[in-house]
Amino acid sequence: MTQISSSPSLLRLAGLPYFLIAFVARLPFAMMVVGVLTIVVSVRESLTLGGLTSAVVGLGTAVVGPFLGAAADRYGQRLVLVATAVLNSAMLAAFALVVYSPAGDAPVLLAAFAIGATAPQVSPMSRSRLVTIIDERMPESRRARTTSSTMSYESAADESVFVFGPFLVGALASFIAPWAPMALASVLTLLFVGAFALHPTGRHVSIARAADGSAPSAASELFRPVLLVVVAGIFGVGLFFGATLTALTSFMADRGLPEQAGLLYGVMGIGSAILALGVAWLPPRFTLHARWLFFGAILLAGSVLVATASEVWMMTLALAILGIGVGPTLVTLYSLGAARSPLGRSATVMTMLGSGVVVGQAAAAAITGALAEGVGTSASLLMPLAASAVVVVCGILNRVLSRTRH
C-alpha cells in the first residue's frame, strides 16, 4: 500500500512542460480546416470550393493518418513528428501561395490534400505516449483510474483548442488578412510540434515492440469488430461536430447574425470540456459500455431540441444539453480505444480514432452546407440528429459485441 501511494503521478512522470507544449502543438490542427475554408472563400469567392477544400483536408488526414501512427509505433514518434512538422509547416505556407495565385481549382485541392496528409497527429500521439507511460511505469492498481483521468484531460484539451482555434482564425482573418491564420499555423507547427517531437518522452518506444521494431500482435488485430465499432462511433462524433457548427451557422445567418455562430457553439464546447474532465470521477461500476449509451442518449435528446429550435434562446439551451453529452462520450470512446489497442499498436489505434473525428467533421460540414444552401436551414438542422443516431447505434452494437466476446 505504501508503494502505491508513494508512486509518482503522471504529471511528475511526464513533466508539466510536456502538457503545455502538447496543448499548444495541437492548436494548428484545430485551425487547419477552418483556416482553409476561410482563405478559399475570401480569396476565390466560392463557398462550394471552400467546403470541398476543407473536406479534402480531412480526406488527406483520414488516408495517411493511420499510417503515420503505424510508423510511430514501429520507429518511435520523434522521427515521424519531426518529418511531419517540417512538411506540414511548408504545405500550410504553400497552400496560401497557391490560393492567391492564378492557378485553377485542382492545384488548390491537391495542396489541401497535402496539408491533411502531412498533418502532425499530436493528439493521438500524446494519448498513446501517456497511455504507454501509465502501462509501463505505474502500479496496476492505479492504471484504470489514471487512464480515465488522462483521456478526460486529453479530450478537454481537444475541445478547448477546437473552440479557440476557429475563433483565432476568424480574428486573424478579420483584423489582418485571410492568409494570416495559415501563416500562424505554419509557425506554430514548426515550433511547437517540433518541441513536442523533441521532448524526452518522444524517445520512448513501447517495450511490447521487438528489437527490430515489430509488434507482437498482427496487423489484423486492428480490424477486430470490437475495435472497429469504436472507430465508427467516434466517426459519428466527428459527424456531429461538423453538422452542428455548419447548421448553427445557417441558423444564425437566417437571423442576420452569422458571426455569432461561433459564440453559441462555444456554449457547447466549454460545457463539453468541463464535463469531459468530470468523467474521471465517475464510479467504476458505471462501465464504459453504459457511459457510451447514457451520454449518447443525452446527445440524441439535445439534437432533437436543435432540430426543433425556432429561437436563439432555444438553440442556446439545446447546445448546453449537447455539451453534457458530447464531452463524456468522446472520453469514453478514447478510453475504449486505449483498452482495446493491440500490443505495441497504441499510436496506430489513436490515429485511427483521431482520423475518424476529422473525416467525420469534414464530411458532415460539406453535406450539411449543401443541404442548407440547396434545401434550407430546417433540413440542415436534422443532420446533428442523424449524427447522434449513428453514435447511439454504434453504442448498442458495442454492447452486443462486448457481450458476445465475453
Side-chain angles (χ1 to χ4, degrees):
M1 192 69 164
T2 305
Q3 181 184 357
I4 293 174
S5 61
S6 62
S7 61
S9 66
L10 183 61
L11 179 62
R12 187 174 172 186
L13 289 171
L16 180 60
Y18 169 83
F19 290 95
L20 298 177
I21 292 169
F23 183 84
V24 180
R26 70 187 77 200
L27 186 58
F29 194 84
M31 297 171 64
M32 284 177 193
V33 174
V34 180
V36 163
L37 176 65
T38 301
I39 192 173
V40 171
V41 172
S42 299
V43 177
R44 297 291 176 116
E45 298 181 344
S46 172
L47 184 60
T48 301
L49 178 61
L52 182 60
T53 307
S54 297
V56 169
V57 174
L59 179 63
T61 301
V63 170
V64 180
F67 292 102
L68 295 177
D73 275 331
R74 187 174 185 88
Y75 304 109
Q77 292 189 12
R78 178 164 290 180
L79 177 64
V80 175
L81 284 167
V82 168
T84 54
V86 173
L87 290 172
N88 192 247
S89 179
M91 289 313 307
L92 286 166
F95 179 81
L97 293 175
V98 171
V99 172
Y100 276 94
S101 76
D105 294 347
V108 173
L109 294 174
L110 185 61
F113 182 87
I115 287 176
T118 59
Q121 304 289 316
V122 174
S123 293
M125 299 283 189
S126 179
R127 285 181 170 91
S128 172
R129 205 180 284 191
L130 295 176
V131 166
T132 300
I133 291 173
I134 292 167
D135 287 345
E136 296 179 2
R137 299 180 63 184
M138 297 192 75
E140 187 174 356
S141 59
R142 291 182 55 192
R143 289 175 193 168
R145 174 56 67 90
T146 306
T147 298
S148 179
S149 301
T150 301
M151 293 302 159
S152 295
Y153 164 75
E154 288 286 318
S155 296
D158 284 345
E159 292 277 356
S160 300
V161 296
F162 273 101
V163 170
F164 183 63
F167 171 80
L168 189 58
V169 168
L172 289 170
S174 299
F175 293 108
I176 301 179
W179 54 262
M182 306 304 289
L184 179 62
S186 177
V187 172
L188 289 176
T189 297
L190 196 60
L191 294 179
F192 283 91
V193 176
F196 178 72
L198 297 175
H199 189 272
T201 57
R203 290 196 302 262
H204 187 76
V205 178
S206 174
I207 59 174
R209 288 270 170 172
D212 63 354
S214 60
S217 57
S220 59
E221 290 289 299
L222 295 169
F223 302 99
R224 291 174 300 154
V226 288
L227 183 55
L228 290 180
V229 75
V230 179
V231 176
I234 212 161
F235 172 74
V237 174
L239 288 174
F240 171 80
F241 282 136
T244 303
L245 179 57
T246 309
L248 181 60
T249 302
S250 179
F251 178 85
M252 295 305 292
D254 288 349
R255 287 150 182 78
L257 300 167
E259 69 281 358
Q260 293 188 14
L263 294 176
L264 280 186
Y265 190 72
V267 171
M268 182 187 77
I270 294 171
S272 177
I274 293 171
L275 266 294
L277 287 172
V279 170
W281 301 104
L282 293 174
R285 63 178 176 274
F286 189 14
T287 65
L288 294 174
H289 313 297
R291 293 178 195 179
W292 187 346
L293 292 171
F294 178 79
F295 291 109
I298 294 176
L299 203 62
L300 196 62
S303 298
V304 171
L305 291 179
V306 167
T308 56
S310 57
E311 301 291 339
V312 174
W313 70 266
M314 293 174 64
M315 182 61 75
T316 304
L317 176 62
L319 291 168
I321 294 173
L322 290 175
I324 297 173
V326 70
T329 300
L330 199 59
V331 173
T332 299
L333 290 169
Y334 273 116
S335 297
L336 276 171
R340 294 174 181 176
S341 295
L343 280 175
R345 298 187 184 274
S346 63
T348 308
V349 171
M350 290 302 158
T351 47
M352 287 170 62
L353 297 177
S355 295
V357 174
V358 173
V359 74
Q361 187 177 19
I367 296 170
T368 308
L371 275 176
E373 198 169 334
V375 182
T377 299
S378 58
S380 70
L381 290 174
L382 292 173
M383 283 299 295
L385 182 60
S388 300
V390 170
V391 175
V392 172
V393 169
C394 289
I396 295 170
L397 288 174
N398 170 71
R399 194 70 184 120
V400 173
L401 288 170
S402 300
R403 284 175 174 168
T404 304
R405 187 183 180 209
H406 179 72

